[in-house]
């Protein structure tokens, strides 16, 4: 497992624990964003020029789908949850 994937997993569990401890469930649109953003980061860590072309194509398609959706969701969530510091931080922690 590479460092980026390990960081993503660690961040996911920390975020999960923060909300589990606070008794606050994330809104479904925020959780959907996290799922897409995590998938984007996962597939970006999978890329390797030495992979077979078919696998590279699969990864590229997954990146285009998940990263594109996450970017769109991120801008929508920034606007929708402006002033909600917890959600603003979650959304801002991802860079695309």
């Amino acid at each position: 497992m590479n460092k980026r994937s390990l960081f993503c997993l660690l961040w996911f569990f920390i975020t999960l624990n923060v909300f589990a401890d606070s008794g606050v469930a994330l809104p479904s649109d925020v959780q959907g964003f996290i799922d897409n953003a995590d998938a984007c980061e996962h597939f970006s860590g999978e890329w390797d020029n030495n992979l077979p072309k078919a696998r590279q194509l699969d990864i590229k398609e997954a990146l285009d789908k998940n990263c594109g959706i996450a970017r769109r969701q991120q801008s929508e969530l920034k606007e929708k949850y402006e002033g909600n510091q917890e959600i603003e931080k979650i959304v801002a922690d991802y860079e695309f």
Side-chain angles (χ1 to χ4, degrees):
M1 181 178 292
N2 64 32
K3 289 180 184 180
R4 186 177 188 146
S5 295
L6 184 60
F7 173 78
C8 290
L9 283 174
L10 179 62
W11 188 89
F12 172 76
F13 287 115
I14 289 171
T15 303
L16 183 64
N17 285 333
V18 166
F19 281 96
D21 291 344
S22 68
V24 176
L26 288 172
S28 61
D29 55 351
V30 176
Q31 186 59 55
F33 163 72
I34 291 170
D35 294 343
N36 286 313
D38 285 345
C40 174
E41 289 183 351
H42 167 78
F43 285 110
S44 66
E46 291 288 312
W47 183 261
D48 186 337
N49 287 329
N50 296 320
L51 290 171
K53 294 293 180 191
R55 181 65 183 142
Q56 287 180 357
L57 181 59
D58 290 342
I59 293 171
K60 183 183 180 320
E61 288 174 0
L63 283 168
D64 290 345
K65 176 187 173 198
N66 291 292
C67 297
I69 292 170
R71 280 186 201 101
R72 180 181 46 78
Q73 288 173 317
Q74 187 177 43
S75 62
E76 291 171 0
L77 294 174
K78 282 181 180 180
E79 185 176 323
K80 181 177 180 178
Y81 292 100
E82 186 176 356
N84 183 325
Q85 293 179 352
E86 289 180 52
I87 292 178
E88 283 181 336
K89 178 168 179 10
I90 292 169
V91 171
D93 281 344
Y94 290 92
E95 291 184 33
F96 300 103

